[in-house]
Amino acid sequence: MAEIILNGQSVKTEAADMKDLKRQTYASEGLSEDIQRHCVWIVEGFQTDENLSLKDGMTINWIQKGKMPDREEMESMLCARHTPHVYEKAKKARAAIAGLGGLGSNIAIMLARTGIGHLHLIDFDIVEPSNLNRQQYMVEHLGMYKTEALKDELQRMNPYIEVQIDTVRITEENCRDLFKDDDIICEAFDKPDQKAMLVRELLTQCPETTVVSGNGMAGYGDTNEIRTQQMMRRLYVCGDQSTDVGNGIGLVAPRVAACAAHEANKVLQLIMQTES
């Protein structure tokens, strides 16, 4: 008899292998052969059709295609996929994203897929057609506030993430109140003067925060030039720190997404470095 974790529950089973486990599960659930054909089995975070032998402590999940798992099932799958140590820290963590354009919307998607438990999204703008070349919005989002559209997208991916939104322009006056509960903040503005203002105010007004900023990602240049550098004790800057919009150089999806990935990865690194 093996003791396994099945869809988030500790289960003792007499099944010797995956074939036996599937047969027992389908029988106990009363699933028709048609539904069985649309079931996906995930062992230790990876989908497989192999008839693996069951061992104590194995994490196994099964889902029906097209059907949303409940919270416990979803978290069990993510935990196995990311490994327990990583996922448990990520689930407890929170991060803020200031600006939900090409950088911010991509950062939010990546952090949500990583399992960050609480995301704080701040922007005042609406989705317009020119955003669709690099930002994580769809045609049906046109005219919506970016905060509401992105929250909708994130909860379609994982409805169990807590998403807090503030549809407001960030200023020197409201900076402290907006970010008072956030330990890690991604700066994702477009305009240099606004970037400088936010970083300055966060570092001076919010002494417990760490800022991850983006600078230099325009055009079609080599993505290997985009890097992450620690500029101050509480400030990291991602990008090539030189390429700017202008003179026929615009913002396009690949390089913007590469810079966003650097920011999201630094957030995850910072979370993993915190004490449990």
Side-chain angles (χ1 to χ4, degrees), residues 11 34 67 79 91-92 119 123-124 195 244 264 269:
V11 173
D34 184 59
K67 183 178 179 181
C79 187
K91 185 176 72 170
K92 295 175 183 177
L119 291 174
D123 201 307
F124 67 91
K195 286 177 172 288
D244 201 0
Q269 287 178 341

Side-chain angles (χ1 to χ4, degrees), residues 3-167:
E3 185 169 353
I4 62 174
I5 304 298
L6 182 62
N7 280 11
Q9 299 288 333
S10 179
V11 173
K12 291 184 179 180
T13 178
E14 294 182 355
D17 52 32
M18 289 296 297
K19 185 177 180 180
D20 284 346
L21 181 64
K22 290 178 183 180
R23 184 170 55 248
Q24 292 179 12
T25 301
Y26 294 151
S28 65
E29 295 288 333
L31 301 184
S32 67
E33 290 186 5
D34 184 59
I35 292 177
Q36 292 176 29
R37 285 194 292 271
H38 291 85
C39 289
V40 174
W41 286 79
I42 302 162
V43 179
E44 304 296 359
F46 294 91
Q47 182 177 335
T48 181
D49 293 321
E50 290 186 62
N51 187 30
L52 302 170
S53 298
L54 299 189
K55 300 177 182 178
D56 286 343
M58 289 179 72
T59 297
I60 301 171
N61 295 87
W62 69 277
I63 58 174
Q64 295 180 44
K65 288 184 177 180
K67 183 178 179 181
M68 184 65 197
D70 63 27
R71 179 188 288 270
E72 199 165 52
E73 292 170 348
M74 175 73 85
E75 291 191 346
S76 177
M77 282 188 290
L78 289 174
C79 187
R81 190 69 171 177
H82 293 305
T83 71
H85 171 70
V86 172
Y87 181 69
E88 288 303 321
K89 276 198 169 185
K91 185 176 72 170
K92 295 175 183 177
R94 57 181 289 138
I97 304 169
L100 304 178
L103 270 183
S105 62
N106 278 285
I107 293 167
I109 294 291
M110 294 176 195
L111 292 181
R113 293 194 186 281
T114 306
I116 304 300
H118 185 109
L119 291 174
H120 183 191
L121 311 178
I122 310 98
D123 201 307
F124 67 91
D125 209 355
I126 63 171
V127 180
E128 58 176 283
S130 66
N131 301 148
L132 301 181
N133 82 318
R134 68 195 184 282
Q135 302 181 19
Q136 288 287 345
Y137 302 108
M138 307 300 168
V139 171
E140 61 263 31
H141 293 137
L142 293 174
M144 291 179 63
Y145 283 113
K146 289 183 177 180
T147 49
E148 296 173 357
L150 191 54
K151 180 177 181 178
D152 176 65
E153 282 294 284
L154 296 178
Q155 295 193 322
R156 287 169 63 188
M157 289 189 309
N158 186 345
Y160 309 119
I161 294 175
E162 294 182 14
V163 182
Q164 173 189 349
I165 62 174
D166 279 301
T167 307

